[in-house]
């Protein structure tokens, strides 16, 4: 992935805290504890304390933060104000920024899990375009009845669903996130101050080296390269939301390194401030078998998708622009190595990466496919 920073004034690059972005990561940890072995204690205790009604509502909307981390968690990057704006200092302020987005844009953000194939290209919102709407409904049906029902409700009554989502996040704040944010924001603020000082005194290259080894500048110093198993590009200048690049620290993010690169939005890099230890790898013989299965760039890309959610052969073929038989051949190799689980839901056969097995391959591989 690449971010063009040609002509970007240094003062438009900065570090900031976002309560809403951190809530999104916290919800992801609750929904996918296998991605975050160092946070099992927090996830277990928090999940056990949730009231049934809140737990049910979180389950109803969990696709917003499980397989795809929706851009609704970083609305400050898209709010069209003169010169741009940063995140709110409180969750309520961040939610107020989310409320400023037009309905058509909000719907496109919330349905990113069905529209991610066209993410880089942009295009009309499914709220206003018949063809995009039909495609969103079709892809939502492949994901399951929960996603289909949500998509249908959102397209038919976006105002009501937007209010429902805001109330859901406010109830999370009252139930657990308020206390969690008061605890972690001290660490996040200290990290942001430290890296801001490095940026100010040593420059962007040194600051990015402190953020993540996956970030680097090209030789001309005009483009940031992000080492991820994903393709994408954006620019930090010329956005309707204003020029700029924002780094957002997260206590719940590891091993994910998130890059918001939505067209016409200012780019955001959300990075983890700590990396917990992982269990020891598997035996040499088993490791050899599995690494041989992964010695293909397309299978690595398939693993990236399958680490986030169970998907059908057709979905994977659509995402990567290859034929369904070719996807099936790659999946067969991964399955023979014991890296996949498979289950059937009606007429759909869903494949998913076994994160327990993947964790035993080592932290480098796990971080690579989840970054």
């Amino acid at each position: 992935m690449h971010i063009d920073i040609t002509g970007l004034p240094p003062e438009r690059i900065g570090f900031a805290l976002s309560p809403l972005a951190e809530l999104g990561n916290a919800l992801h940890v609750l929904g996918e504890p296998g991605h975050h072995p160092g946070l099992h204690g927090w996830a277990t205790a928090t999940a056990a304390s949730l009231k049934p009604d809140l737990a049910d509502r979180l389950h109803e909307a969990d696709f917003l933060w499980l397989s795809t981390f929706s851009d609704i968690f970083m609305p400050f990057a898209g709010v069209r104000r003169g010169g741009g704006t940063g995140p709110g200092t409180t969750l309520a302020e961040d939610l107020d920024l989310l409320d400023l987005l037009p309905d058509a844009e909000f719907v496109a953000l919330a349905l990113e899990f069905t529209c991610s194939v066209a993410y880089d290209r942009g295009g009309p919102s499914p709220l206003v375009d018949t063809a995009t709407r039909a495609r969103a409904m079709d892809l939502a049906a492949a994901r399951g009845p929960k996603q289909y029902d949500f998509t249908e409700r959102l397209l038919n009554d976006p105002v009501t669903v937007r209010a429902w989502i805001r109330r859901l996040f406010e109830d999370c704040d009252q139930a657990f996130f308020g206390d969690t944010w008061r605890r972690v924001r001290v660490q996040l603020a200290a990290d942001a101050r430290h890296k801001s000082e490095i940026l100010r005194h040593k420059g962007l290259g040194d600051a990015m080296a402190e953020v993540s080894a996956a970030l680097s500048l090209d030789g001309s110093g005009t483009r940031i390269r992000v080492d991820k198993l994903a393709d994408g590009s954006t620019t930090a200048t010329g956005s309707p939301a204003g020029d700029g690049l924002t780094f957002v620290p997260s206590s719940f993010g590891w091993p994910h390194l998130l890059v918001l690169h939505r067209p016409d939005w200012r780019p955001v890099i959300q990075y983890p401030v700590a990396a917990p230890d992982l269990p020891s790898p598997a035996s040499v013989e088993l490791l050899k078998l599995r690494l041989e299965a992964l010695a293909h760039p397309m299978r690595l890309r398939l693993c990236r998708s399958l680490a986030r959610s169970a998907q059908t052969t057709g979905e994977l073929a659509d995402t990567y622009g290859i034929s369904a038989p070719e996807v099936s051949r790659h999946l067969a190799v991964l399955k023979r190595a014991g890296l996949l689980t498979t289950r059937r839901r009606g007429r759909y056969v869903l494949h998913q990466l076994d994160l327990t097995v993947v964790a035993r391959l080592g932290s480098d591989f796990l971080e690579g496919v989840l970054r």
Side-chain angles (χ1 to χ4, degrees), residues 338-349:
L339 294 168
L340 297 184
T341 61
T342 301
R343 59 186 172 88
R344 180 176 290 276
R345 187 183 65 229
R347 63 187 178 93
Y348 298 104
V349 177

Side-chain angles (χ1 to χ4, degrees), residues 322-341:
I322 60 178
S323 67
E326 187 176 357
V327 171
S328 295
R329 288 193 292 271
H330 286 306
L331 294 181
V333 174
L334 294 170
K335 192 171 183 180
R336 282 196 298 271
L339 294 168
L340 297 184
T341 61

Side-chain angles (χ1 to χ4, degrees), residues 260-277:
L260 187 155
H261 60 289
R262 177 171 293 277
D264 295 330
W265 282 35
R266 287 171 285 123
V268 179
I269 298 176
Q270 187 182 44
Y271 64 92
V273 298
D277 294 331

Side-chain angles (χ1 to χ4, degrees), residues 114 117-118 130-140 318:
T114 67
V117 173
T130 303
T132 307
R133 178 189 180 106
R135 178 169 175 76
M137 292 300 300
D138 185 56
L139 290 173
D318 191 41

Side-chain angles (χ1 to χ4, degrees), residues 120-134:
D120 295 316
R121 300 193 300 269
S125 167
L127 188 63
V128 297
D129 182 77
T130 303
T132 307
R133 178 189 180 106

Side-chain angles (χ1 to χ4, degrees), residues 57-80:
R57 285 185 288 148
L58 289 176
H59 178 68
E60 188 176 349
D62 61 11
F63 45 84
L64 295 173
W65 53 80
L66 290 187
S67 60
T68 302
F69 190 82
S70 172
D71 289 344
I72 67 170
F73 292 105
M74 298 184 188
F76 66 90
V79 172
R80 285 156 175 74

Side-chain angles (χ1 to χ4, degrees), residues 173-174 176-187:
D173 191 45
Q174 184 175 2
F176 67 90
F177 183 70
D179 290 339
T180 298
W181 178 248
R182 282 188 286 273
R183 174 174 56 83
V184 303
R185 69 179 178 183
V186 176
Q187 177 195 24

